[in-house]
Amino acid sequence: MCLGIPGKVVEIYQANGLRMGKVDFGGGVLREACLEYTPDIALNDYTIIHVGFAISKIDEKEAHETLALLAELDMLGEELPELAKDEPDA
Amino acid sequence: MKHLDEYRDEALTRRLLDELTATVTRPWRLMEVCGGQTHSIMKTGLHDLLPPQIELVHGPGCPVCVTPLELIDKAIALASRPDVIFTSYGDMLRVPGSGRDLFSVKAAGGDVRIVYSPLDALKIARDNPAKTVVFFAIGFETTAPANAMAVVQAKAQGIDNFAVLVSHVTVPPVIAGLMQESGVQVDAFLAAGHVCAVMGYWEYGPLAEQYRIPIVVTGFEPVDLLRGILMAVRQLEQGRHEVENAYERSVTYEGNQPAQAIIQRAFELCDRKWRGIGTIPMSGYRLRAEYAALDAEQRFPDVGAIQTAESSLCISGLILQGRKKPFECPAFGKECTPQTPLGATMVSSEGACAAYYRYGRYRDAIAEAEKKSS
Ligand code: SF4
């Protein structure tokens, strides 16, 4: 759970008083994440998500490269099991 | 062993390795603090490509591995209660307690649920007002902002059937702790990039100064690791001991300020016991007094006095301090495998024993150890 996973912010909204968003990790996997700690993040930006919280902004190329490498290192499964199985999150 | 041409960025990897070879003149031991880095090194075989003078030793940065046995046993006791829904990050479920693990509680009918984020645990609490939802708030500084937010939200929204079992640990005090231990010989530290994305690296200056040791903030990708190793070796060769950042694209000196602010709001520093290592002063977070009502240990005081029993074979404490490598454990790959783990370092892929086992490094390593001892 220590590892951050890069994804793209595809929706931003407020829920229970928190700035939240939908983050697309690729392969059809979408997850809700809290954007409270990244007030500067806008729609379509890429970010690193730690246990459901965006921590830092990164660029798109970096995001794709890191995701591919995490997959190669078998490190995605423990963070987001759907990504490892390559199944869309219904 | 992986070959250089299998690396994603072969040319850059080669250049960094050449530079490293040209820089190093004598043996150095570098400790990577983060278990994610250990995993990446083992999986890619990076350590086999390094000049022979450079030895990587693996540090205590596996949150699952260092969560003290008492707290695992408390988690198991809480999860077994019919009035509790116990929620946890997935990798905690197979960590052995004194008798069994959380997974076996779940198999026996306990309501144990894996959550990805602590906010998911909060949602379970909202949806199940008749039960108390306990969340196992463990981890390094990477999970602390998330766990802190769950606590702050629960209080603000009056969700009073939510509680947390806290076992947070922090990196800088364990670096100090290791430097004070006799028997731990480390010349430089590679600090954990993801921890520093949250915390920045302002905390490390006094450590580098006091222990005269280079500390380089390092990512976990092979090229990042090589850059971190190169920067640390350059410092060592030049007799410097500074804090440097080899992971600029994710880490700033200040770190993520809003995240640090919430950690401060919910938590305060406390002495913390690390599994296998012992108590390290001011090395953990506990809830501040304002949040005492959310503390699972206070809400269920009867889970307080638990007798713990660690496997007598397991040397994971020495492994977490970089004093032994997994293949030096007599149980490694025999009594202890990922299917039958005796210690936490064999469970999580961030644990050194699991990383050695998974990537078959133990075969080469055992051969190497036998060569040395003969
Ligand atoms: S191999 Fe197993 S028994 Fe040995 S130190 Fe690692 S976890 Fe403990």
Side-chain angles (χ1 to χ4, degrees):
Chain A
M1 93 282 309
C2 236
L3 205 69
I5 307 279
K8 179 182 183 176
V9 179
V10 293
E11 204 182 319
I12 297 180
Y13 49 88
Q14 292 282 322
N16 295 309
L18 295 180
R19 186 173 191 252
M20 302 293 289
K22 284 255 152 55
V23 175
D24 186 348
F25 294 103
V29 178
L30 273 180
R31 278 289 184 124
E32 184 170 57
C34 178
L35 307 179
E36 272 297 307
Y37 302 142
T38 46
D40 54 325
I41 278 201
L43 213 56
N44 298 323
D45 279 348
Y46 285 80
T47 172
I48 299 199
I49 305 291
H50 285 266
V51 291
F53 286 70
I55 292 292
S56 47
K57 196 167 144 173
I58 53 169
D59 67 37
E60 179 177 353
K61 182 167 166 280
E62 162 79 16
H64 289 308
E65 283 176 7
T66 305
L67 262 180
L69 186 88
L70 284 170
E72 200 177 298
L73 295 179
D74 298 329
M75 286 167 103
L76 282 175
E78 285 189 18
E79 303 292 328
L80 278 174
E82 314 83 293
L83 274 177
K85 280 186 253 132
D86 212 16
E87 276 168 12
D89 192 31
Chain B
M1 175 180 144
K2 193 154 168 161
H3 294 282
L4 191 52
D5 56 12
E6 293 170 47
Y7 281 83
R8 169 183 312 275
D9 206 332
E10 186 197 337
L12 183 54
T13 308
R14 188 179 299 277
R15 210 166 66 230
L16 287 164
L17 280 169
D18 287 347
E19 216 167 312
L20 200 52
T21 306
T23 306
V24 68
T25 64
R26 42 175 285 206
W28 299 111
R29 282 164 67 96
L30 276 56
M31 177 180 275
E32 86 273 358
V33 173
C34 157
Q37 292 170 338
T38 306
H39 177 111
S40 173
I41 290 163
M42 288 300 136
K43 168 87 190 184
T44 61
L46 187 71
H47 58 316
D48 288 335
L49 294 174
L50 295 175
Q53 297 98 322
I54 298 172
E55 185 186 355
L56 293 178
V57 292
H58 319 303
C62 163
V64 169
C65 304
V66 300
T67 299
L69 190 54
E70 289 84 337
L71 277 160
I72 308 276
D73 287 345
K74 278 185 189 179
I76 289 165
L78 286 170
S80 309
R81 292 177 65 109
D83 52 344
V84 163
I85 299 175
F86 195 85
T87 55
S88 169
Y89 297 123
D91 18 10
M92 291 307 286
L93 264 62
R94 295 198 51 247
V95 175
S98 295
R100 49 189 185 148
D101 58 20
L102 282 166
F103 195 77
S104 66
V105 176
K106 186 177 163 70
D111 198 344
V112 178
R113 303 187 194 180
I114 294 174
V115 291
Y116 169 61
S117 162
L119 294 184
D120 299 341
L122 208 52
K123 182 170 184 306
I124 294 173
R126 278 196 205 96
D127 296 346
N128 294 276
K131 296 273 183 97
T132 298
V133 173
V134 178
F135 175 67
F136 205 173
I138 70 141
F140 279 91
E141 294 95 324
T142 44
T143 56
N147 296 350
M149 181 64 91
V151 168
V152 169
Q153 283 284 98
K155 184 168 187 207
Q157 296 176 10
I159 304 174
D160 49 21
N161 64 325
F162 181 75
V164 285
L165 182 61
V166 181
S167 180
H168 264 291
V169 282
T170 57
V171 172
V174 78
I175 290 185
L178 288 174
M179 290 311 292
Q180 285 161 16
E181 262 314 293
S182 61
V184 178
Q185 281 157 3
V186 177
D187 300 307
F189 284 94
L190 306 179
H194 283 156
V195 164
C196 295
V198 175
M199 299 305 289
Y201 53 97
W202 50 271
E203 297 171 286
Y204 294 88
L207 286 173
E209 191 50 47
Q210 183 177 353
Y211 299 104
R212 307 184 63 82
I213 191 151
I215 301 177
V216 180
V217 180
T218 305
F220 67 92
E221 302 180 21
V223 164
D224 290 324
L225 281 158
L226 274 178
R227 287 191 58 214
I229 293 167
L230 178 61
M231 283 165 81
V233 168
R234 264 196 204 126
Q235 286 201 44
L236 289 166
E237 292 285 343
Q238 295 167 2
R240 290 184 290 129
H241 49 88
E242 293 160 20
V243 181
E244 291 180 316
N245 183 8
Y247 199 37
E248 305 94 331
R249 60 183 200 279
S250 288
V251 173
T252 60
Y253 181 73
E254 298 79 18
N256 185 314
Q257 307 262 322
Q260 289 173 42
I262 294 261
I263 295 176
Q264 287 298 323
R265 197 163 137 198
F267 295 129
E268 61 190 8
L269 285 172
C270 65
D271 296 350
R272 172 73 64 204
K273 195 164 172 190
W274 296 55
R275 187 170 189 172
I277 299 180
T279 301
I280 302 175
M282 293 305 193
S283 67
Y285 294 132
R286 65 172 173 223
L287 287 174
R288 286 189 181 276
E290 305 93 280
Y291 296 97
L294 288 152
D295 187 341
E297 290 182 87
Q298 300 205 21
R299 195 164 314 176
F300 300 97
D302 49 318
V303 298
I306 279 176
Q307 283 291 324
T308 58
E310 191 75 82
S311 157
S312 57
L313 293 173
C314 183
I315 59 159
S316 65
L318 296 173
I319 287 168
L320 289 162
Q321 298 173 70
R323 296 159 77 146
K324 291 253 192 259
K325 296 258 167 86
F327 52 81
E328 295 175 81
C329 170
F332 179 81
K334 301 188 185 90
E335 294 91 337
C336 184
T337 68
Q339 286 71 45
T340 55
L342 293 180
T345 42
M346 189 56 101
V347 176
S348 159
S349 71
E350 286 164 28
C353 297
Y356 272 71
Y357 190 88
R358 271 168 74 159
Y359 303 121
R361 302 293 163 201
Y362 60 99
R363 282 183 230 106
D364 327 351
I366 288 170
E368 189 188 314
E370 278 167 359
K371 213 163 60 203
K372 264 185 202 160
S373 67
S374 64

